[in-house]
């Protein structure tokens, strides 16, 4: 299977405008994300897909690969789908531009679910990690996911799921890590689906799959990087350098 990573990178983020070009140590967030994805060595190709000349030039001027996209996309998945239409590829991994600590092991586990007879049934997959910090569990910036016994996603929410009504039962909380892997046609089909009600309410695009009856396989990882959504996240990330 030919596997590529595409990194959607929008300059105008609502919670942290310009975050992709914010400095994390001596490099920008987007450049660190790109280099981390390349350095995993699990992809046949890696490129940034952006609507910003600043981001495009940042990657290209540092020896990387980038393509320009249209500006009117509703989400990052739509942005990478535009770029992948004419590419010869089997599996497309959407690496979020604000994930500067992408690691090899989680990506290998993610790609492995597409292999073998069982893997043929998988159309889209994503990563999750266990959340243990009570403040993070309550924080709406941490997207939680509930899964069935086969690790297919049941629901994604910014609220606490499951809700611990029975205090005698120890609940496991999973945080969704925004790295997706798609079969190419599944990715292209996604762009033909209208925004769904739960997706619009939660502002979580992968709910569009579930609302259309498309299973999403979840893969547990111990990945503990920092997704940079706020200036405070940038400060946390700086401590990991």
């Amino acid at each position: 299977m030919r596997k590529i990573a595409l990194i959607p990178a929008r300059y105008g983020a609502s919670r942290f405008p310009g975050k992709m070009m914010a400095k994390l140590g001596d490099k920008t967030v987007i450049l660190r994300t790109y280099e981390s994805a390349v350095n995993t060595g699990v992809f046949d190709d890696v490129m940034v897909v952006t609507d910003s000349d600043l981001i495009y030039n940042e990657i290209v001027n540092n020896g990387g690969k980038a393509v320009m996209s249209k500006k009117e996309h509703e989400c990052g998945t739509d942005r990478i789908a535009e770029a992948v239409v004419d590419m010869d590829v089997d599996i497309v991994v959407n690496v979020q531009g604000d994930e500067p600590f992408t690691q090899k092991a989680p990506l290998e586990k993610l790609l492995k679910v597409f292999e073998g007879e069982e893997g043929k049934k998988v159309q889209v997959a994503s990563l999750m990690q266990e959340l243990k910090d009570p403040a993070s569990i309550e924080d709406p910036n941490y997207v939680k996911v509930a899964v069935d016994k086969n690790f297919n996603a049941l629901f994604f929410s910014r609220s606490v799921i499951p809700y611990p009504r029975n205090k005698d039962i120890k609940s496991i909380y999973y945080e969704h890590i925004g790295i997706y892997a798609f079969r190419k046609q599944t990715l292209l089909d996604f762009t033909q689906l209208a925004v769904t009600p739960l997706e619009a309410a939660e502002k979580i695009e992968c709910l569009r799959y579930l609302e259309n009856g498309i299973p999403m396989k979840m893969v547990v990882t111990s990945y503990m990087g920092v997704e940079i959504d706020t200036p405070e996240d940038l400060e946390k990330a700086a401590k990991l350098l």
Side-chain angles (χ1 to χ4, degrees):
M1 294 188 295
R2 179 169 168 76
K3 305 174 290 290
I4 67 168
L6 295 180
I7 305 171
R10 184 168 64 96
Y11 186 80
S14 56
R15 280 178 287 179
F16 188 0
K19 68 179 179 180
M20 298 296 178
M21 292 296 293
K23 278 295 183 74
L24 179 54
D26 61 349
K27 296 181 181 179
T28 58
V29 169
I30 187 59
L31 183 59
R32 284 194 180 276
T33 301
Y34 174 83
E35 291 179 345
S36 292
V38 171
N39 290 339
T40 64
V42 301
F43 300 111
D44 295 297
D45 207 354
V46 178
M47 63 184 69
V48 170
V49 186
T50 184
D51 61 2
S52 164
D53 290 331
L54 279 174
I55 293 173
Y56 178 89
N57 290 331
E58 171 71 359
I59 298 301
V60 172
N61 291 343
N62 283 283
K65 294 183 180 181
V67 295
M68 292 293 294
S69 71
K70 299 175 183 175
K71 294 181 183 292
E72 60 266 24
H73 292 301
E74 291 293 328
C75 64
T77 309
D78 289 334
R79 192 176 304 283
I80 66 169
E82 176 199 330
V84 84
V85 170
D86 296 321
M87 293 184 185
D88 178 19
V89 60
D90 300 296
I91 305 296
V92 182
V93 176
N94 179 345
V95 176
Q96 300 296 320
D98 55 10
E99 292 271 3
F101 300 108
T102 302
Q103 298 172 13
K104 180 177 182 176
L107 291 171
E108 286 183 322
K109 287 180 71 175
L110 182 63
L111 291 167
K112 193 171 181 61
V113 303
F114 292 91
E115 298 176 359
E117 286 303 309
E118 283 299 308
K120 291 178 181 178
K121 302 175 187 175
V122 178
Q123 297 301 306
V124 57
S126 193
L127 293 171
M128 63 183 185
Q129 66 187 5
E130 187 174 350
L131 271 181
K132 295 182 179 180
D133 173 38
S136 299
I137 293 169
E138 295 278 352
D139 190 338
N141 287 319
Y142 287 77
V143 174
K144 274 70 71 175
V145 55
V147 296
D148 67 16
K149 63 182 182 180
N150 296 313
F151 287 90
N152 290 307
L154 292 170
F155 194 64
F156 296 86
S157 182
R158 298 183 184 279
S159 300
V160 178
I161 53 171
Y163 180 79
R165 183 173 181 181
N166 186 341
K167 304 298 183 183
D168 296 327
I169 295 177
K170 177 174 170 51
S171 297
I172 297 177
Y173 297 95
Y174 290 113
E175 176 196 4
H176 178 222
I177 299 171
I179 296 176
Y180 306 81
F182 314 82
R183 294 194 184 277
K184 177 182 175 179
Q185 192 57 52
T186 303
L187 172 58
L188 296 178
D189 290 345
F190 177 87
T191 65
Q192 304 305 309
L193 300 173
V195 174
T196 46
L198 294 174
E199 174 193 5
E202 291 266 10
K203 293 297 182 185
I204 302 172
E205 68 183 59
C206 49
L207 282 169
R208 196 184 311 180
Y209 283 101
L210 304 190
E211 290 185 83
N212 281 282
I214 301 169
M216 179 178 285
K217 178 71 75 174
M218 300 303 299
V219 177
V220 182
T221 178
S222 58
Y223 173 88
M224 293 299 291
V226 176
E227 182 177 338
I228 299 173
D229 283 322
T230 65
E232 291 73 26
D233 292 335
L234 187 65
E235 293 177 11
K236 292 178 187 176
K239 295 175 182 178
L240 298 177
L241 293 176

